[in-house]
Amino acid sequence: MPKDDARTEAYGTIDEAVSALGLARAEDIALRDAARLPDAIATLEETLLGLQRDLFVVGAELASNPDSHDRLEDGLTRVDEAMLDRLEALLADVEAAVEMPREFTVPGADRLSAAFELARAVVRRAERRVITLERDGLVAGEWALPYLNRLADLLWVLARQAEQALGTTTTKVRIEG
């Protein structure tokens, strides 16, 4: 398969998202090791590792040949509704603990939130690539696209949670028109 094939682009972008989450996880570990990790985000490493594992499932689904879609297994090689439900529950929990800004936020208040923002941007790109695959009938199941959409939302909220937990000041941009 060519390196610029739509499926290769999609699962390659998922791989980038896994790596960007790895950056966030490494920053989380560094903060914890330096005793600078507030209790509000103390369980973040486990959460991030779980999200990385989920993205491997997304990647497996996207990499699968359409002739093999019937052999994929829910939750292992194909995104299933239970994965989306877990993500939705996590998003609801984090949203409940975060004060949401009313303006656009500029990434870079701290390294952890910036890593989340980078991961979010990569996941949004993956989402766009999956839309192309769906249009061409190359996605095995119905849950990969909603999973990526909600994951990007979660990463945005995790960036806000990190900023608030670390006490960093978020740069905000008000769009007036």
Side-chain angles (χ1 to χ4, degrees), residues 56-62 64 71-79 140:
F56 279 110
V57 175
V58 176
E61 179 175 341
L62 299 177
S64 70
R71 292 192 298 232
L72 297 177
E73 295 182 48
D74 286 349
L76 293 175
T77 53
R78 177 180 41 231
V79 179

Side-chain angles (χ1 to χ4, degrees), residues 7-146:
R7 279 190 12 239
T8 305
E9 282 288 333
Y11 66 73
T13 306
I14 294 298
D15 186 43
E16 291 176 48
V18 171
S19 296
L21 281 174
L23 180 63
R25 195 161 56 91
E27 184 61 26
D28 172 69
I29 291 168
L31 287 169
R32 189 178 56 245
D33 288 350
R36 290 193 52 234
L37 194 64
D39 289 343
I41 55 176
T43 61
L44 209 47
E45 181 186 6
E46 182 180 314
T47 298
L48 295 177
L49 189 56
L51 295 173
Q52 287 176 296
R53 287 182 177 133
D54 281 357
L55 284 174
F56 279 110
V57 175
V58 176
E61 179 175 341
L62 299 177
S64 70
N65 187 312
D67 296 339
S68 304
H69 284 177
D70 61 334
R71 292 192 298 232
L72 297 177
E73 295 182 48
D74 286 349
L76 293 175
T77 53
R78 177 180 41 231
V79 179
D80 64 5
E81 188 174 14
M83 290 173 63
L84 180 61
D85 289 346
R86 282 192 311 273
L87 187 66
E88 291 277 3
L90 178 58
L91 177 58
D93 288 347
V94 178
E95 279 180 327
V98 173
E99 182 181 331
M100 299 300 223
R102 297 184 187 269
E103 300 88 8
F104 288 102
T105 57
V106 178
D110 58 75
R111 292 167 52 113
L112 182 57
S113 66
F116 283 129
E117 290 284 11
L118 175 62
R120 176 195 55 77
V122 174
V123 169
R124 286 290 186 214
R125 181 162 31 94
E127 182 182 13
R128 293 188 301 273
R129 300 294 186 259
V130 172
I131 289 169
T132 299
L133 294 182
E134 261 195 359
R135 190 178 319 126
D136 295 337
L138 297 173
V139 179
E142 62 184 291
W143 303 109
L145 189 57

Side-chain angles (χ1 to χ4, degrees), residues 150-164:
R150 299 310 283 162
L151 176 58
D153 293 344
L154 172 64
L155 295 172
W156 187 85
V157 176
L158 285 171
R160 306 294 72 80
Q161 182 184 42
E163 291 165 348
Q164 291 169 23

